[in-house]
């Protein structure tokens, strides 16, 4: 009787194993080794991976940091809880994932198996010969993790992605009669942040001059005597300790705006966001900035108020 119960127990365990490996349910993790991708590193703290990401590239390196394989998937809409199987021999690996790695915006190596090293995996933003960048960038995300694959064991590694691209929507509004026109205002965001390493840090790069990919006169209504110019620009990853400058000049070269961009963006972190400065810059990927201009007695432009998202800043002397 004891022997019969023993064999029944073994048979039941075998059947349970077969069911759990061949049936995907909400309660059971799929058999094998998987990467699950999320994007919760945003200001809403919700998973927006399936909503925003259109392309995924995963680069796998062995324990000696040599390239093993590249996995690519491109979809109009990724499902919530998207996973990618790692069909690899047992061993230790390092995976680097980039989402949004489209050729029109970025340069990256085509790695060779067994030759390309982890340090050689870089992503460089395309720019013109004079280091200007006038195009709207494809949104870009990054994540990386160490993975160990053990025979007969199943495991899922979660990679929560960090967004590396940012949008700036800028409005410059002058006093009545100031006569601002879009064609007479030149915007530039400058910084050496166009070259990313495998760990998402910045590599040494030339100073990029980001220019608007959209610029127009703002519609203030037929009855308004106030003129305003609106521009939309983007940059690659913003870093707490990497200088970035936002400038705007008129057609005569008169300075309208000249600010330490990172300093001003971090002032908005005071809106109850209890997090480190770099985390805030990584989570917040869009900034609406309104600059209100006046003129002094000598005819020089002055920024009298700045609004970034919903945060109002009145610059003090020496801030700009």
């Amino acid at each position: 009787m004891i022997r019969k119960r023993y064999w029944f127990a073994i048979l039941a365990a075998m059947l349970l194993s077969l069911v759990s490996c061949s049936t995907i349910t909400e309660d059971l993790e799929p058999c094998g080794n998987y990467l699950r991708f999320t994007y919760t590193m945003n200001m809403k703290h919700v998973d927006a991976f399936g909503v925003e990401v259109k392309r995924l590239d995963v680069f796998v390196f062995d324990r000696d940091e040599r390239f093993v394989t590249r996995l690519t998937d491109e979809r109009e809409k990724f499902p919530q809880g998207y996973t990618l199987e790692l069909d690899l021999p047992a061993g230790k690996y390092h995976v680097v994932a980039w989402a949004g790695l489209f050729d029109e915006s970025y340069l990256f190596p085509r790695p060779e198996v067994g030759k390309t090293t982890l340090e050689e995996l870089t992503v460089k933003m395309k720019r013109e010969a004079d280091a200007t960048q006038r195009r709207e960038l494809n949104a870009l995300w990054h994540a990386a993790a160490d993975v160990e694959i053990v025979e007969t064991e199943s495991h899922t590694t979660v990679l929560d992605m960090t967004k590396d691209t940012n949008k700036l929507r800028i409005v410059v509004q002058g006093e009545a009669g100031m006569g601002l026109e879009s064609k007479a205002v030149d915007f530039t965001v400058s910084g050496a942040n166009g070259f990313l390493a495998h760990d998402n840090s910045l590599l040494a790069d030339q100073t990029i001059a980001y220019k608007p990919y959209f610029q127009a006169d703002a519609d203030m209504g037929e009855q308004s005597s106030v003129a305003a110019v609106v521009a939309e620009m983007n940059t690659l990853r913003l870093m707490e300790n990497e200088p970035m400058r936002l400038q705007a000049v008129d057609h005569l070269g008169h300075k309208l705006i000249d600010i330490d961009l990172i300093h001003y963006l971090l002032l908005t972190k005071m809106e109850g966001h209890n997090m480190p400065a770099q985390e805030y810059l990584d989570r917040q990927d869009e900034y609406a900035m309104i600059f209100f201009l006046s003129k002094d007695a000598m005819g020089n432009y002055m920024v009298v108020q700045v609004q970034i998202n919903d945060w109002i800043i009145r610059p003090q002397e020496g801030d700009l």
Side-chain angles (χ1 to χ4, degrees), residues 71 84 100 124 138 176 216:
L71 307 171
L84 189 64
K124 194 168 192 177
N138 285 293

mmCIF file of all heavy atoms in Angstrom, residues 71 84 100 124 138 176 216:
data_model
loop_
_atom_site.group_PDB
_atom_site.id
_atom_site.type_symbol
_atom_site.label_atom_id
_atom_site.label_comp_id
_atom_site.label_asym_id
_atom_site.label_seq_id
_atom_site.Cartn_x
_atom_site.Cartn_y
_atom_site.Cartn_z
ATOM 1 N N LEU A 71 18.385 40.114 -29.954
ATOM 2 C CA LEU A 71 16.971 39.780 -30.122
ATOM 3 C C LEU A 71 16.209 41.066 -30.441
ATOM 4 O O LEU A 71 16.365 42.069 -29.747
ATOM 5 C CB LEU A 71 16.417 39.144 -28.849
ATOM 6 C CG LEU A 71 17.199 37.944 -28.301
ATOM 7 C CD1 LEU A 71 16.676 37.543 -26.927
ATOM 8 C CD2 LEU A 71 17.134 36.772 -29.268
ATOM 9 N N LEU A 84 10.058 38.187 -23.317
ATOM 10 C CA LEU A 84 10.888 37.703 -24.413
ATOM 11 C C LEU A 84 11.704 36.535 -23.881
ATOM 12 O O LEU A 84 12.365 36.657 -22.839
ATOM 13 C CB LEU A 84 11.809 38.834 -24.885
ATOM 14 C CG LEU A 84 12.618 38.621 -26.156
ATOM 15 C CD1 LEU A 84 11.700 38.478 -27.370
ATOM 16 C CD2 LEU A 84 13.571 39.801 -26.360
ATOM 17 N N GLY A 100 13.183 51.675 -29.149
ATOM 18 C CA GLY A 100 13.122 52.857 -30.005
ATOM 19 C C GLY A 100 14.404 53.122 -30.771
ATOM 20 O O GLY A 100 14.652 54.245 -31.214
ATOM 21 N N LYS A 124 24.760 56.493 -30.455
ATOM 22 C CA LYS A 124 25.097 57.892 -30.741
ATOM 23 C C LYS A 124 23.966 58.540 -31.517
ATOM 24 O O LYS A 124 23.501 57.995 -32.533
ATOM 25 C CB LYS A 124 26.399 57.973 -31.540
ATOM 26 C CG LYS A 124 27.001 59.375 -31.591
ATOM 27 C CD LYS A 124 28.418 59.327 -32.132
ATOM 28 C CE LYS A 124 29.143 60.648 -31.919
ATOM 29 N NZ LYS A 124 30.550 60.583 -32.368
ATOM 30 N N ASN A 138 13.302 59.907 -32.441
ATOM 31 C CA ASN A 138 12.485 58.781 -32.003
ATOM 32 C C ASN A 138 12.697 58.596 -30.500
ATOM 33 O O ASN A 138 13.831 58.659 -30.015
ATOM 34 C CB ASN A 138 12.892 57.494 -32.731
ATOM 35 C CG ASN A 138 12.406 57.467 -34.163
ATOM 36 O OD1 ASN A 138 11.218 57.399 -34.430
ATOM 37 N ND2 ASN A 138 13.344 57.546 -35.107
ATOM 38 N N ALA A 176 2.883 93.987 -24.792
ATOM 39 C CA ALA A 176 2.145 94.570 -25.906
ATOM 40 C C ALA A 176 3.057 95.475 -26.728
ATOM 41 O O ALA A 176 3.791 96.299 -26.190
ATOM 42 C CB ALA A 176 0.945 95.362 -25.373
ATOM 43 N N ALA A 216 6.640 78.472 -34.618
ATOM 44 C CA ALA A 216 5.578 79.251 -35.254
ATOM 45 C C ALA A 216 5.193 80.424 -34.370
ATOM 46 O O ALA A 216 5.555 80.477 -33.179
ATOM 47 C CB ALA A 216 4.350 78.378 -35.529
#
